[in-house]
Amino acid sequence: MTRAAGSRDERLAARPDHGRRIEVRLADALVAVRPLVVPVERVRIPLAPGDVVLAAPGEAIAAGAPLVERLREPELVETAVPEASDLRSGAPAPAVTGGRRVARRRFPIGGRTADGPPRSDEGPGPEAGSVGPAPNAESAPEHDPTANPPGNAEPPSGGGASRRSSGELLFRRKGRWLIVRGDRTDTGVAPIGGTVAAVHAGRAVEIATVGWRIPGTAVLGDPTFGPLAVARDGGDGRAPALDVDLAGAIVVVEGRIDAETIGRARAMGLRGIVVGSLAGRVRRAVEASEARQRTALHPRRPFAVLVLDGELRRPIPDPVRELLAGLVGRPVGIVGDPPGLVVEGPLPRIVVSPDRVVVRSGRWAGTEGQLLGLAGVWRFAAGVHLLAARIATDDGEELVVPVADLVRYGGPS
Amino acid sequence: MRPAAEAFLAIDEGTATTAVAAVGRAGGRWRLLAATAVPAETETDAAVELLEVILRATDAPLVSDLGLGAGRLAELPRHTSRTGPTPTLAVVGVTERSLGPLGSVAERAGWRTWRASLERLDPLDLVRLLLDGRIEAVLAGAGDPAGADERSGLGDLAAVVATTIDRRPEVPIVLAGAVAAEAERLGLGGPSEVAPADPPDSVAAADPGAAASAPAGPTILFAPAATAGSPPGDALRRLLGGLAAGSGAGRANLVRAVASLAAVLEARVELVEVGHDGGLRATASPGPRPGDEADVAATLVPAAALVPGEVSEALVDGVLAWLTSSTERSRLRDRLATLRREPWADLPGEGARLRLAAAEAALVRLDAATRELGAGPAPDLLVLAGGVWAAVPGPTVALATANTLRRPGAWQIAYDHARLLGPLGALPTEAERRAVLADLADDLLLPIGSVVMPAGLRADRTAGRLLVHGPAGATELELVPGGLELVDLAPGEQGPVELRFERPVVLGTRGRRFALDLAGGLGGLLIDLRDVPLRLPDRASRRRELLAAWQAALWPGLDDEPVGRGSA
């Protein structure tokens, strides 16, 4: 057998298409890769002081099972508490009677009350970007696992008379304790099954699990759970058709969506919405609407909006759409930290060609096609010089696009 | 063939992009061989590979001479400067009044602040704020002694802090002023004495480190009040600066490099950086004798980032003030949020206009936050740093600088286009930095142009005349108050400039006749006879027109049609 002389690099370099292959490989390396899914080992559910976790560390919990009772309107009560060794901030308050209710300050801050973000020069405050606890019950029902078996996507709706939580110790002041408690709670559900790994009072409960997360950029609302469904674009920019058949489901909505549609979806009993993008004004309108409804008396169920890719209008890319289509009917959850759609079990098989790219921004945002290779430095609109790549679109056109505007979807990271 | 050891890679890892440059010895001196930048999410090795392709395509003989054959570039020694995200500090106090000095000191120490007081929030909301996972440290402070309006709330403040310590023991807590002095009485434990108001740098830097090395337990640091020390707040600033040191390492390198550059060039150098997650202004003056250390002052301003944190109404207003295209406010807000999340994307066309407006707004914030640094005489050389300037043509950068940094004088503007200053500032010794910078200064500083900005012009028909003696002959211009004159002076050219004013003006000093020796650049020589400070029309449409007219003259290709479509 005759073999070419020289090293492997030299032999490869001698091949006539060597430069072309380097160019394509380099273009591949320079195009950002966005994972379609990422493995999930822990899911973090945010808590506020006074929220009561319904499962203890080490306890198994099924997806959709009630996990936390959130105070809708927490109040501060100052009271004397009998001395005991386990009195510390974050511990459940012992049952005591009486106590002086501490008046809470509610200064308007940017249109919100003090429950909203604090004044800050740049950053959001606590709970910024959150719709807030999804109200569920006027008063907290005593949790009965048999009444709401694991796996049941229907959390208790509440509304009846139930036991009032004795509250959570916040801190000691002049020999007395400040306790956080409230009359009404909302029930939060586990967005994915697993084992309660840790409970950090007033901060978060962590669920150890084995699953996958489809990454998003933002979530409005609290973790939620339900079977996945897809609603098609209404066409001509109209809002998608959502009806009561979708009650209890998390629905993927393609195309433009407005605050009214999101409000209607919640009212019809949908558990969540997944959108490609959500304009900032829609997001603010939804937040304002939710803030108003927090004061309502009627029970409300968990609901969240998952935004897959920011504020500017962008269609859901084909690989993500295919993956979501493959998950239709499967139970999924929406989590906010980090944002994404979580699912247990094996994923549908999606084949994404390694040279498949999506233009994520700029003039051709949303266009998809095949990466042909680097095109060198090009002069673009407004005289801007950028490293560019050639792509062949699905419509048969060849485009020269800034490399930085391209993204590839890859396997789990 | 020379050994590859005579070359190195300079890598500047920012939060938005990573810049990679190859530097090698050629012709007996260090030279910049090639440079490129990629989004931060791209692997650095891919950028090095791209650099190799560029290098081979541009100067194959030099590559061979330096022994940088296929794949060798990746094996070169690397000098890396890394800038992390700006950390977030919760600043809490009893009154709103006390938050001002505390927050101001914290921001100057490199922290992004969330501020809240018991005057605005009740204890529960304050606890909720401090338990937010995005908070990386807490500063709780009061005056020393506590003000009459603070005394009654100190107990609640201490209780809130104690709750945070209980629930988030991993978060460092800094107690300042009366909260530190009375920590024991307030149940926060602590030393009998607070750190001195003027600790040496080593003390401030050592405290966090020592605390971090402790085996367990919360980190609680005790500091003087925000107004203690000389200058006021310096002691607290140094303590907080030590806590944030990791994220600001890249900017510390920039400051070191500017000091070395001032010594090498024997010129007053000012550096202005607009980054993705913060801004920096540094001034350096050479020492009295060659070899002396330069006199340096620097301030990091998180709020001077291109898009700092969440998009606020004030930020939208600031950018709208410089944007030359009409846009809906909510749409602008979304575009800014996208710019914050994907700073490397959507660069052409409107994207470039948006970046320029955002950069100008950031420069205004930086200037406002660093008044003391801008109060002195104009520098000889203004160095711009940050990837944002690469998005727009050089002459436009000169205009943006002249629009926003208004001070009488004449100075040259250059751009650290290969982002070499950070990595060179990471070189271990001053001698090494100076040796490399002495060779590289011409390569790393892209001449943008020179600005002449007199102040005190009267609104007459003419203010005087300008005579530039360039290589192509003399150019004479009439100076019209309120105008902006552009004189072609190419990069590398030096032009003696004579200015004869009808009446005395301020141009560094007060006088009527000035003779200056100015360097050219991509933007040439900009004679800026507009008001100092700049006054723009209040009406938005009129302001946009005026800004667009100035921009059109200095933005080659502004109205270029988009390119890039063909048939497959």
Side-chain angles (χ1 to χ4, degrees), chain A residues 32 104 119 122 124 168 173 203 284 360 364 379 382 397-398 400 405, chain B residues 41 49 112 114-115 118 122 156 167 333 341 344 346 555 560 564-566:
Chain A
R104 299 202 57 201
R119 180 172 64 78
E122 302 124 32
E168 177 183 315
R173 179 163 78 177
R203 291 173 58 198
R284 288 188 294 279
R360 64 178 166 190
W364 293 293
R379 180 174 167 141
E397 273 191 312
E398 187 175 312
V400 176
D405 282 349
Chain B
E41 60 183 19
E49 199 176 341
R112 174 166 290 118
W114 290 4
R115 307 179 192 184
L118 284 168
D122 64 26
D156 274 2
R167 300 193 189 203
R333 180 189 270 272
R341 196 171 45 254
W344 53 81
D346 194 17
W555 191 324
D560 275 6
R565 188 184 290 272

mmCIF file of all heavy atoms in Angstrom, chain A residues 32 104 119 122 124 168 173 203 284 360 364 379 382 397-398 400 405, chain B residues 41 49 112 114-115 118 122 156 167 333 341 344 346 555 560 564-566:
data_model
loop_
_atom_site.group_PDB
_atom_site.id
_atom_site.type_symbol
_atom_site.label_atom_id
_atom_site.label_comp_id
_atom_site.label_asym_id
_atom_site.label_seq_id
_atom_site.Cartn_x
_atom_site.Cartn_y
_atom_site.Cartn_z
ATOM 1 N N ALA A 32 -21.773 31.757 16.744
ATOM 2 C CA ALA A 32 -22.157 31.381 18.109
ATOM 3 C C ALA A 32 -23.075 30.164 18.092
ATOM 4 O O ALA A 32 -23.909 30.019 17.194
ATOM 5 C CB ALA A 32 -22.873 32.551 18.766
ATOM 6 N N ARG A 104 -47.455 48.848 57.130
ATOM 7 C CA ARG A 104 -46.463 48.724 56.062
ATOM 8 C C ARG A 104 -46.479 49.970 55.213
ATOM 9 O O ARG A 104 -47.514 50.561 54.961
ATOM 10 C CB ARG A 104 -46.757 47.488 55.220
ATOM 11 C CG ARG A 104 -46.686 46.214 56.046
ATOM 12 C CD ARG A 104 -46.449 45.028 55.172
ATOM 13 N NE ARG A 104 -45.248 45.198 54.388
ATOM 14 C CZ ARG A 104 -45.009 44.531 53.263
ATOM 15 N NH1 ARG A 104 -45.911 43.709 52.796
ATOM 16 N NH2 ARG A 104 -43.893 44.723 52.593
ATOM 17 N N ARG A 119 -35.857 51.965 44.682
ATOM 18 C CA ARG A 119 -35.196 52.921 43.807
ATOM 19 C C ARG A 119 -33.778 52.431 43.543
ATOM 20 O O ARG A 119 -33.081 51.980 44.424
ATOM 21 C CB ARG A 119 -35.122 54.282 44.491
ATOM 22 C CG ARG A 119 -34.456 55.328 43.651
ATOM 23 C CD ARG A 119 -34.593 56.661 44.309
ATOM 24 N NE ARG A 119 -33.902 56.723 45.579
ATOM 25 C CZ ARG A 119 -32.588 56.871 45.700
ATOM 26 N NH1 ARG A 119 -31.840 56.938 44.622
ATOM 27 N NH2 ARG A 119 -32.025 56.940 46.881
ATOM 28 N N GLU A 122 -29.761 51.783 38.240
ATOM 29 C CA GLU A 122 -29.724 50.979 37.025
ATOM 30 C C GLU A 122 -30.469 49.666 37.142
ATOM 31 O O GLU A 122 -31.063 49.196 36.206
ATOM 32 C CB GLU A 122 -28.271 50.641 36.653
ATOM 33 C CG GLU A 122 -27.415 51.827 36.443
ATOM 34 C CD GLU A 122 -26.206 51.773 37.346
ATOM 35 O OE1 GLU A 122 -25.736 50.671 37.639
ATOM 36 O OE2 GLU A 122 -25.743 52.828 37.768
ATOM 37 N N PRO A 124 -32.796 46.408 38.536
ATOM 38 C CA PRO A 124 -34.139 46.157 39.046
ATOM 39 C C PRO A 124 -34.060 45.761 40.502
ATOM 40 O O PRO A 124 -33.017 45.380 40.992
ATOM 41 C CB PRO A 124 -34.597 44.980 38.195
ATOM 42 C CG PRO A 124 -33.333 44.254 37.869
ATOM 43 C CD PRO A 124 -32.257 45.290 37.805
ATOM 44 N N GLU A 168 -43.823 33.467 59.725
ATOM 45 C CA GLU A 168 -42.389 33.180 59.733
ATOM 46 C C GLU A 168 -41.689 34.256 60.535
ATOM 47 O O GLU A 168 -42.001 35.447 60.413
ATOM 48 C CB GLU A 168 -41.885 33.171 58.281
ATOM 49 C CG GLU A 168 -40.405 32.963 58.132
ATOM 50 C CD GLU A 168 -39.974 33.039 56.669
ATOM 51 O OE1 GLU A 168 -40.650 32.432 55.812
ATOM 52 O OE2 GLU A 168 -38.973 33.723 56.395
ATOM 53 N N ARG A 173 -36.851 42.438 67.636
ATOM 54 C CA ARG A 173 -36.716 43.882 67.846
ATOM 55 C C ARG A 173 -37.113 44.200 69.277
ATOM 56 O O ARG A 173 -38.263 43.983 69.653
ATOM 57 C CB ARG A 173 -37.593 44.629 66.851
ATOM 58 C CG ARG A 173 -37.531 46.134 67.011
ATOM 59 C CD ARG A 173 -38.050 46.837 65.800
ATOM 60 N NE ARG A 173 -39.506 46.845 65.734
ATOM 61 C CZ ARG A 173 -40.193 47.466 64.781
ATOM 62 N NH1 ARG A 173 -39.550 48.073 63.796
ATOM 63 N NH2 ARG A 173 -41.497 47.460 64.787
ATOM 64 N N ARG A 203 -36.052 32.624 50.530
ATOM 65 C CA ARG A 203 -35.228 32.807 49.331
ATOM 66 C C ARG A 203 -35.621 31.847 48.214
ATOM 67 O O ARG A 203 -35.983 32.277 47.132
ATOM 68 C CB ARG A 203 -33.757 32.611 49.660
ATOM 69 C CG ARG A 203 -33.176 33.682 50.533
ATOM 70 C CD ARG A 203 -31.766 33.319 50.945
ATOM 71 N NE ARG A 203 -30.909 33.115 49.800
ATOM 72 C CZ ARG A 203 -29.745 32.468 49.841
ATOM 73 N NH1 ARG A 203 -29.326 31.948 50.970
ATOM 74 N NH2 ARG A 203 -29.021 32.330 48.763
ATOM 75 N N ARG A 284 -44.725 45.202 30.172
ATOM 76 C CA ARG A 284 -45.070 46.135 31.255
ATOM 77 C C ARG A 284 -46.583 46.153 31.481
ATOM 78 O O ARG A 284 -47.050 46.259 32.618
ATOM 79 C CB ARG A 284 -44.541 47.533 30.940
ATOM 80 C CG ARG A 284 -43.031 47.637 31.072
ATOM 81 C CD ARG A 284 -42.556 49.074 30.949
ATOM 82 N NE ARG A 284 -42.789 49.610 29.613
ATOM 83 C CZ ARG A 284 -41.993 49.368 28.574
ATOM 84 N NH1 ARG A 284 -40.931 48.612 28.710
ATOM 85 N NH2 ARG A 284 -42.247 49.886 27.390
ATOM 86 N N ARG A 360 -30.054 36.042 13.639
ATOM 87 C CA ARG A 360 -30.821 36.389 14.839
ATOM 88 C C ARG A 360 -31.076 37.885 14.969
ATOM 89 O O ARG A 360 -31.880 38.313 15.793
ATOM 90 C CB ARG A 360 -30.117 35.886 16.082
ATOM 91 C CG ARG A 360 -28.779 36.525 16.317
ATOM 92 C CD ARG A 360 -28.173 36.004 17.591
ATOM 93 N NE ARG A 360 -26.771 36.362 17.651
ATOM 94 C CZ ARG A 360 -25.940 35.892 18.547
ATOM 95 N NH1 ARG A 360 -26.355 35.053 19.456
ATOM 96 N NH2 ARG A 360 -24.681 36.254 18.550
ATOM 97 N N TRP A 364 -31.956 40.851 8.169
ATOM 98 C CA TRP A 364 -32.562 39.576 7.794
ATOM 99 C C TRP A 364 -32.866 38.724 9.018
ATOM 100 O O TRP A 364 -32.824 37.488 8.951
ATOM 101 C CB TRP A 364 -31.628 38.830 6.842
ATOM 102 C CG TRP A 364 -31.494 39.527 5.526
ATOM 103 C CD1 TRP A 364 -32.467 39.687 4.590
ATOM 104 C CD2 TRP A 364 -30.345 40.198 5.026
ATOM 105 N NE1 TRP A 364 -31.990 40.416 3.521
ATOM 106 C CE2 TRP A 364 -30.685 40.743 3.758
ATOM 107 C CE3 TRP A 364 -29.064 40.409 5.489
ATOM 108 C CZ2 TRP A 364 -29.789 41.467 2.982
ATOM 109 C CZ3 TRP A 364 -28.167 41.117 4.719
ATOM 110 C CH2 TRP A 364 -28.533 41.651 3.485
ATOM 111 N N ARG A 379 -18.322 45.739 3.667
ATOM 112 C CA ARG A 379 -18.843 47.038 4.088
ATOM 113 C C ARG A 379 -20.362 46.954 4.064
ATOM 114 O O ARG A 379 -20.970 46.737 3.019
ATOM 115 C CB ARG A 379 -18.356 48.117 3.138
ATOM 116 C CG ARG A 379 -18.838 49.502 3.500
ATOM 117 C CD ARG A 379 -18.179 50.523 2.587
ATOM 118 N NE ARG A 379 -18.834 51.811 2.694
ATOM 119 C CZ ARG A 379 -18.188 52.958 2.691
ATOM 120 N NH1 ARG A 379 -16.887 52.979 2.583
ATOM 121 N NH2 ARG A 379 -18.843 54.096 2.779
ATOM 122 N N ALA A 382 -24.406 52.010 6.367
ATOM 123 C CA ALA A 382 -23.813 53.060 7.187
ATOM 124 C C ALA A 382 -22.291 52.952 7.236
ATOM 125 O O ALA A 382 -21.652 53.465 8.152
ATOM 126 C CB ALA A 382 -24.385 53.060 8.605
ATOM 127 N N GLU A 397 -31.797 32.042 -2.043
ATOM 128 C CA GLU A 397 -30.995 33.262 -2.151
ATOM 129 C C GLU A 397 -29.677 33.077 -1.430
ATOM 130 O O GLU A 397 -29.575 32.288 -0.484
ATOM 131 C CB GLU A 397 -31.739 34.423 -1.503
ATOM 132 C CG GLU A 397 -32.698 35.127 -2.436
ATOM 133 C CD GLU A 397 -33.198 36.423 -1.826
ATOM 134 O OE1 GLU A 397 -33.600 36.403 -0.659
ATOM 135 O OE2 GLU A 397 -33.175 37.436 -2.535
ATOM 136 N N GLU A 398 -28.675 33.808 -1.871
ATOM 137 C CA GLU A 398 -27.415 33.808 -1.138
ATOM 138 C C GLU A 398 -27.263 35.165 -0.475
ATOM 139 O O GLU A 398 -27.385 36.204 -1.123
ATOM 140 C CB GLU A 398 -26.245 33.548 -2.084
ATOM 141 C CG GLU A 398 -24.940 33.381 -1.325
ATOM 142 C CD GLU A 398 -23.783 33.004 -2.242
ATOM 143 O OE1 GLU A 398 -23.964 32.077 -3.055
ATOM 144 O OE2 GLU A 398 -22.720 33.634 -2.144
ATOM 145 N N VAL A 400 -25.023 37.702 2.273
ATOM 146 C CA VAL A 400 -23.793 37.957 3.016
ATOM 147 C C VAL A 400 -24.204 38.671 4.297
ATOM 148 O O VAL A 400 -24.806 39.746 4.252
ATOM 149 C CB VAL A 400 -22.812 38.814 2.201
ATOM 150 C CG1 VAL A 400 -21.582 39.133 3.033
ATOM 151 C CG2 VAL A 400 -22.414 38.074 0.935
ATOM 152 N N ASP A 405 -24.099 38.209 13.587
ATOM 153 C CA ASP A 405 -25.568 38.145 13.578
ATOM 154 C C ASP A 405 -26.082 36.717 13.439
ATOM 155 O O ASP A 405 -27.293 36.503 13.409
ATOM 156 C CB ASP A 405 -26.127 38.994 12.416
ATOM 157 C CG ASP A 405 -26.120 40.477 12.744
ATOM 158 O OD1 ASP A 405 -25.880 40.817 13.911
ATOM 159 O OD2 ASP A 405 -26.339 41.290 11.829
ATOM 160 N N GLU B 41 -19.093 35.137 23.521
ATOM 161 C CA GLU B 41 -19.561 33.755 23.588
ATOM 162 C C GLU B 41 -18.803 32.842 22.630
ATOM 163 O O GLU B 41 -18.959 31.620 22.669
ATOM 164 C CB GLU B 41 -21.063 33.682 23.308
ATOM 165 C CG GLU B 41 -21.459 34.209 21.950
ATOM 166 C CD GLU B 41 -22.972 34.191 21.742
ATOM 167 O OE1 GLU B 41 -23.722 34.111 22.727
ATOM 168 O OE2 GLU B 41 -23.394 34.263 20.588
ATOM 169 N N GLU B 49 -7.489 31.408 15.639
ATOM 170 C CA GLU B 49 -7.424 30.797 14.312
ATOM 171 C C GLU B 49 -7.739 31.819 13.225
ATOM 172 O O GLU B 49 -7.085 31.860 12.178
ATOM 173 C CB GLU B 49 -8.418 29.625 14.250
ATOM 174 C CG GLU B 49 -8.114 28.665 13.121
ATOM 175 C CD GLU B 49 -9.056 27.464 13.134
ATOM 176 O OE1 GLU B 49 -9.677 27.197 14.182
ATOM 177 O OE2 GLU B 49 -9.170 26.819 12.090
ATOM 178 N N ARG B 112 -22.214 48.286 41.029
ATOM 179 C CA ARG B 112 -23.539 48.755 40.614
ATOM 180 C C ARG B 112 -24.397 48.697 41.859
ATOM 181 O O ARG B 112 -24.349 47.714 42.600
ATOM 182 C CB ARG B 112 -24.093 47.830 39.533
ATOM 183 C CG ARG B 112 -25.521 48.144 39.154
ATOM 184 C CD ARG B 112 -25.924 47.465 37.875
ATOM 185 N NE ARG B 112 -25.229 48.055 36.755
ATOM 186 C CZ ARG B 112 -24.377 47.413 35.954
ATOM 187 N NH1 ARG B 112 -24.132 46.144 36.149
ATOM 188 N NH2 ARG B 112 -23.774 48.029 34.957
ATOM 189 N N TRP B 114 -27.945 49.051 44.223
ATOM 190 C CA TRP B 114 -29.387 49.124 44.452
ATOM 191 C C TRP B 114 -29.515 49.789 45.806
ATOM 192 O O TRP B 114 -28.961 49.292 46.785
ATOM 193 C CB TRP B 114 -30.004 47.737 44.506
ATOM 194 C CG TRP B 114 -30.031 47.007 43.200
ATOM 195 C CD1 TRP B 114 -29.512 47.417 42.004
ATOM 196 C CD2 TRP B 114 -30.598 45.725 42.969
ATOM 197 N NE1 TRP B 114 -29.722 46.464 41.047
ATOM 198 C CE2 TRP B 114 -30.383 45.422 41.606
ATOM 199 C CE3 TRP B 114 -31.264 44.811 43.761
ATOM 200 C CZ2 TRP B 114 -30.814 44.237 41.028
ATOM 201 C CZ3 TRP B 114 -31.695 43.623 43.189
ATOM 202 C CH2 TRP B 114 -31.484 43.343 41.835
ATOM 203 N N ARG B 115 -30.220 50.883 45.851
ATOM 204 C CA ARG B 115 -30.272 51.636 47.104
ATOM 205 C C ARG B 115 -31.674 51.583 47.705
ATOM 206 O O ARG B 115 -32.668 51.693 46.982
ATOM 207 C CB ARG B 115 -29.893 53.092 46.851
ATOM 208 C CG ARG B 115 -28.570 53.246 46.124
ATOM 209 C CD ARG B 115 -28.259 54.696 45.877
ATOM 210 N NE ARG B 115 -27.147 54.858 44.948
ATOM 211 C CZ ARG B 115 -26.621 56.014 44.614
ATOM 212 N NH1 ARG B 115 -27.114 57.131 45.149
ATOM 213 N NH2 ARG B 115 -25.621 56.106 43.772
ATOM 214 N N LEU B 118 -34.944 52.659 55.053
ATOM 215 C CA LEU B 118 -36.133 52.393 55.858
ATOM 216 C C LEU B 118 -37.134 53.538 55.760
ATOM 217 O O LEU B 118 -38.275 53.404 56.206
ATOM 218 C CB LEU B 118 -35.733 52.171 57.314
ATOM 219 C CG LEU B 118 -35.116 50.794 57.598
ATOM 220 C CD1 LEU B 118 -34.486 50.767 58.974
ATOM 221 C CD2 LEU B 118 -36.166 49.696 57.467
ATOM 222 N N ASP B 122 -40.405 49.335 54.130
ATOM 223 C CA ASP B 122 -40.493 48.824 55.488
ATOM 224 C C ASP B 122 -39.517 47.653 55.638
ATOM 225 O O ASP B 122 -38.930 47.181 54.659
ATOM 226 C CB ASP B 122 -41.931 48.453 55.841
ATOM 227 C CG ASP B 122 -42.458 47.326 54.998
ATOM 228 O OD1 ASP B 122 -41.640 46.529 54.523
ATOM 229 O OD2 ASP B 122 -43.674 47.253 54.811
ATOM 230 N N ASP B 156 -33.658 48.830 63.718
ATOM 231 C CA ASP B 156 -34.323 48.087 62.652
ATOM 232 C C ASP B 156 -33.344 47.753 61.526
ATOM 233 O O ASP B 156 -33.370 46.650 60.965
ATOM 234 C CB ASP B 156 -35.488 48.909 62.073
ATOM 235 C CG ASP B 156 -36.759 48.688 62.886
ATOM 236 O OD1 ASP B 156 -36.685 47.943 63.895
ATOM 237 O OD2 ASP B 156 -37.799 49.264 62.529
ATOM 238 N N ARG B 167 -29.606 34.422 56.815
ATOM 239 C CA ARG B 167 -30.180 33.690 55.685
ATOM 240 C C ARG B 167 -29.251 33.610 54.484
ATOM 241 O O ARG B 167 -29.404 32.744 53.641
ATOM 242 C CB ARG B 167 -31.493 34.356 55.259
ATOM 243 C CG ARG B 167 -32.513 34.372 56.367
ATOM 244 C CD ARG B 167 -33.859 34.735 55.822
ATOM 245 N NE ARG B 167 -34.828 34.960 56.886
ATOM 246 C CZ ARG B 167 -36.127 34.866 56.709
ATOM 247 N NH1 ARG B 167 -36.607 34.565 55.530
ATOM 248 N NH2 ARG B 167 -36.960 35.096 57.698
ATOM 249 N N ARG B 333 -36.628 51.485 23.713
ATOM 250 C CA ARG B 333 -36.381 50.754 24.966
ATOM 251 C C ARG B 333 -36.050 49.281 24.668
ATOM 252 O O ARG B 333 -35.110 48.715 25.220
ATOM 253 C CB ARG B 333 -37.630 50.854 25.842
ATOM 254 C CG ARG B 333 -37.541 50.148 27.159
ATOM 255 C CD ARG B 333 -38.900 50.148 27.802
ATOM 256 N NE ARG B 333 -39.113 51.306 28.640
ATOM 257 C CZ ARG B 333 -38.772 51.354 29.925
ATOM 258 N NH1 ARG B 333 -38.184 50.326 30.489
ATOM 259 N NH2 ARG B 333 -39.000 52.419 30.636
ATOM 260 N N ARG B 341 -28.218 42.850 25.853
ATOM 261 C CA ARG B 341 -28.096 41.393 25.875
ATOM 262 C C ARG B 341 -27.184 40.880 24.774
ATOM 263 O O ARG B 341 -26.447 39.919 24.960
ATOM 264 C CB ARG B 341 -29.494 40.763 25.756
ATOM 265 C CG ARG B 341 -29.536 39.307 26.138
ATOM 266 C CD ARG B 341 -30.935 38.753 26.224
ATOM 267 N NE ARG B 341 -31.764 39.139 25.121
ATOM 268 C CZ ARG B 341 -32.732 40.039 25.170
ATOM 269 N NH1 ARG B 341 -32.995 40.644 26.299
ATOM 270 N NH2 ARG B 341 -33.439 40.348 24.109
ATOM 271 N N TRP B 344 -22.879 42.598 20.494
ATOM 272 C CA TRP B 344 -22.089 42.406 19.281
ATOM 273 C C TRP B 344 -22.960 42.296 18.032
ATOM 274 O O TRP B 344 -22.449 42.313 16.918
ATOM 275 C CB TRP B 344 -21.278 41.117 19.421
ATOM 276 C CG TRP B 344 -22.143 39.965 19.770
ATOM 277 C CD1 TRP B 344 -22.909 39.232 18.913
ATOM 278 C CD2 TRP B 344 -22.397 39.446 21.069
ATOM 279 N NE1 TRP B 344 -23.621 38.289 19.610
ATOM 280 C CE2 TRP B 344 -23.316 38.386 20.932
ATOM 281 C CE3 TRP B 344 -21.928 39.769 22.344
ATOM 282 C CZ2 TRP B 344 -23.777 37.655 22.018
ATOM 283 C CZ3 TRP B 344 -22.384 39.025 23.412
ATOM 284 C CH2 TRP B 344 -23.284 37.987 23.249
ATOM 285 N N ASP B 346 -26.299 43.050 15.296
ATOM 286 C CA ASP B 346 -27.033 44.140 14.656
ATOM 287 C C ASP B 346 -26.209 45.429 14.592
ATOM 288 O O ASP B 346 -26.642 46.483 15.033
ATOM 289 C CB ASP B 346 -28.353 44.395 15.421
ATOM 290 C CG ASP B 346 -29.299 45.267 14.613
ATOM 291 O OD1 ASP B 346 -29.090 45.390 13.397
ATOM 292 O OD2 ASP B 346 -30.229 45.839 15.212
ATOM 293 N N TRP B 555 -19.550 61.317 8.753
ATOM 294 C CA TRP B 555 -19.823 59.880 8.723
ATOM 295 C C TRP B 555 -19.819 59.415 7.273
ATOM 296 O O TRP B 555 -20.865 59.399 6.607
ATOM 297 C CB TRP B 555 -21.171 59.574 9.371
ATOM 298 C CG TRP B 555 -21.408 58.107 9.621
ATOM 299 C CD1 TRP B 555 -21.007 57.059 8.837
ATOM 300 C CD2 TRP B 555 -22.077 57.525 10.736
ATOM 301 N NE1 TRP B 555 -21.382 55.871 9.387
ATOM 302 C CE2 TRP B 555 -22.044 56.117 10.566
ATOM 303 C CE3 TRP B 555 -22.710 58.041 11.862
ATOM 304 C CZ2 TRP B 555 -22.622 55.242 11.465
ATOM 305 C CZ3 TRP B 555 -23.280 57.161 12.764
ATOM 306 C CH2 TRP B 555 -23.239 55.772 12.572
ATOM 307 N N ASP B 560 -25.184 54.703 2.930
ATOM 308 C CA ASP B 560 -24.932 53.558 2.044
ATOM 309 C C ASP B 560 -26.112 52.610 2.058
ATOM 310 O O ASP B 560 -26.719 52.357 3.105
ATOM 311 C CB ASP B 560 -23.702 52.776 2.524
ATOM 312 C CG ASP B 560 -22.421 53.370 1.984
ATOM 313 O OD1 ASP B 560 -22.500 54.434 1.341
ATOM 314 O OD2 ASP B 560 -21.356 52.778 2.224
ATOM 315 N N GLY B 564 -25.350 42.745 0.350
ATOM 316 C CA GLY B 564 -25.296 41.377 0.825
ATOM 317 C C GLY B 564 -26.276 40.418 0.194
ATOM 318 O O GLY B 564 -26.260 39.239 0.497
ATOM 319 N N ARG B 565 -27.138 40.889 -0.703
ATOM 320 C CA ARG B 565 -28.089 39.936 -1.271
ATOM 321 C C ARG B 565 -27.627 39.519 -2.674
ATOM 322 O O ARG B 565 -27.167 40.319 -3.462
ATOM 323 C CB ARG B 565 -29.469 40.576 -1.360
ATOM 324 C CG ARG B 565 -30.555 39.590 -1.753
ATOM 325 C CD ARG B 565 -31.869 40.324 -1.903
ATOM 326 N NE ARG B 565 -32.389 40.772 -0.628
ATOM 327 C CZ ARG B 565 -33.164 40.036 0.161
ATOM 328 N NH1 ARG B 565 -33.456 38.799 -0.183
ATOM 329 N NH2 ARG B 565 -33.616 40.509 1.286
ATOM 330 N N GLY B 566 -27.731 38.255 -2.982
ATOM 331 C CA GLY B 566 -27.417 37.743 -4.310
ATOM 332 C C GLY B 566 -28.227 36.498 -4.561
ATOM 333 O O GLY B 566 -29.080 36.136 -3.749
#
